[in-house]
Amino acid sequence: MQASGARLAIVAAAIPAAGRTTLHGECRVHNVPLVQTEFASDPKTPIVSSHIKTLIGLQTEIPVHEVDLAVVRSAGLSDALQRLGRQQRCIVVVDAEQDGDLALLAQSIGRLEVPLLLVGAAGLANALPSACYLTARQRLPVLVVAGSMSDATRQQIVFAERELALGIVDIDVEALVAADGARVVQQTVRRAVALLQDRQHCVLRTCRDADARQLIDRLCERTQLSRQQLGDRISQTLGEIALAIINHTQIGGLFLTGGDIAIAVARALGAEGYRIDGEVAPCVPCGTFINSEIDDLPVITKAGGFGGPSTLRDALYFIEEMYSGE
């Protein structure tokens, strides 16, 4: 209680379905007081009392109270618990003889306005509504790494931008491979993180128009790299950018265009493989990276020239639906 800051610890030890009940603060097994059962003579942890209050009192100086079955089944259970929690930090042992008693307790717990610590077993856990221990899955935005210079990829980005909250970060490839490329990396990461934190899907785009393809030969000459070496360098840097973005904000998944890009991002994230779970469209698989920095987040991959105009939009909808449970 001290570690959690709880004002009130509610102890509901009953598991009616297994014959374990609590009546007048006493733990019973098939209606037999615990101290009269075989558990009392356990060689390792012998039972000295059937009263839960007594057993707890042997281990703490925090006041322990009891709420009997009549109060549990009355309309005043919430008020009784609330009053005890506001008076002082305390522990409350609650009677329960049936699953319905635990259900009443669970309903009352939902109305309390004091910091709580729930102590119990399967009986209480089964009675609690899922909202008590599960939070709704957030619809987190997707990071798209579009390293392909294909016309198909460019059209897919334009199509998706018309219908979705899509932020595009254009990357100057020429500046990326220049001497001050680190500055471009930092700027790209900052812009992408800002978009993702604003709950927009973010596209890292290396090719805005067809003219960008004509720069490759000039870049190869300037950097003294072959087309293969230049492509590997760009892919590796995009992988590092993706990792930096993921380290700074939450994402709901990845969409990677271009085989080299997918491999580079997988390596940057430390993935040991790619497990295919389904298909968004023909030749557009959805799966997860194995043992990577992003655990089980969905990863969709696509060859640069594959797919129709709606492929990116459909893929983003696909991931959104995974989070909505539709």
Side-chain angles (χ1 to χ4, degrees):
M1 291 181 70
Q2 184 175 357
S4 67
R7 291 275 304 168
L8 179 66
I10 296 176
V11 180
I15 315 175
R20 272 63 171 172
T21 58
T22 305
L23 191 61
H24 306 305
E26 185 179 59
C27 182
R28 299 187 176 191
V29 181
H30 298 295
N31 211 33
V32 177
L34 184 62
V35 77
Q36 297 177 23
T37 68
E38 62 178 338
F39 301 107
S41 58
D42 185 273
K44 188 174 182 180
T45 54
I47 303 299
V48 298
S49 175
S50 299
H51 283 87
I52 299 172
K53 176 180 177 178
T54 300
L55 296 175
I56 294 175
L58 294 173
Q59 305 170 64
T60 181
E61 295 181 356
I62 298 174
V64 183
H65 303 281
E66 295 176 337
V67 172
D68 64 29
L69 199 58
V71 176
V72 171
R73 294 176 178 176
S74 74
L77 177 57
S78 293
D79 290 340
L81 294 172
Q82 186 79 17
R83 184 168 56 253
L84 288 169
R86 284 180 171 170
Q87 286 175 354
Q88 61 182 161
R89 189 174 62 155
C90 64
I91 300 169
V92 180
V93 178
V94 181
D95 277 2
E97 202 173 31
Q98 304 169 2
D99 287 333
D101 299 326
L102 292 170
L104 292 171
L105 174 61
Q107 292 172 14
S108 296
I109 287 170
R111 294 191 287 267
L112 297 180
E113 298 177 353
V114 293
L116 290 175
L117 176 64
L118 301 182
V119 183
L124 177 60
N126 290 336
L128 291 171
S130 60
C132 287
Y133 51 87
L134 292 178
T135 55
R137 296 184 72 183
Q138 292 178 293
R139 283 197 180 191
L140 296 173
V142 177
L143 175 61
V144 179
V145 185
S148 169
M149 288 190 163
S150 71
D151 185 57
T153 294
R154 290 198 306 274
Q155 290 181 8
Q156 288 159 8
I157 294 171
V158 171
F159 188 96
E161 189 180 15
R162 296 192 195 119
E163 297 191 26
L164 294 164
L166 197 66
I168 298 176
V169 178
D170 284 309
I171 299 175
D172 184 342
V173 174
E174 192 169 4
L176 190 67
V177 298
D180 63 343
R183 177 182 57 82
V184 178
V185 169
Q186 293 173 358
Q187 291 176 345
T188 301
V189 171
R190 281 198 300 269
R191 291 175 60 194
V193 168
L195 288 169
L196 292 163
Q197 289 180 340
D198 195 37
R199 291 295 186 264
Q200 294 186 64
H201 299 307
C202 175
V203 178
L204 304 182
R205 182 170 62 182
T206 58
C207 185
R208 185 170 186 171
D209 51 50
D211 292 340
R213 296 175 67 99
Q214 311 307 317
L215 296 174
I216 300 302
D217 289 335
R218 190 174 70 193
L219 280 177
C220 288
E221 183 178 348
R222 181 179 301 173
T223 59
Q224 296 297 298
L225 297 173
S226 67
R227 293 178 72 94
Q228 179 66 47
Q229 290 171 328
L230 179 64
D232 289 345
R233 182 168 168 181
I234 293 171
S235 297
Q236 180 181 346
T237 305
L238 289 175
E240 293 168 355
I241 289 173
L243 175 61
I245 292 169
I246 291 167
N247 284 338
H248 282 84
T249 191
Q250 286 184 296
I251 64 169
L254 278 173
F255 183 94
L256 309 173
T257 70
D260 291 344
I261 299 301
I263 292 171
V265 173
R267 285 175 175 166
L269 297 179
E272 297 177 4
Y274 180 60
R275 180 184 296 109
I276 297 175
D277 299 321
E279 197 174 47
V280 178
C283 300
V284 184
C286 178
T288 54
F289 282 150
I290 300 170
N291 296 332
S292 76
E293 294 287 333
I294 57 172
D295 298 324
D296 59 350
L297 287 181
V299 178
I300 297 175
T301 62
K302 181 189 77 70
F306 273 64
S310 68
T311 298
L312 174 57
R313 181 207 63 182
D314 296 343
L316 294 176
Y317 278 149
F318 184 88
I319 293 178
E320 286 182 353
E321 288 174 2
M322 291 175 67
Y323 282 89
S324 67
E326 296 173 3

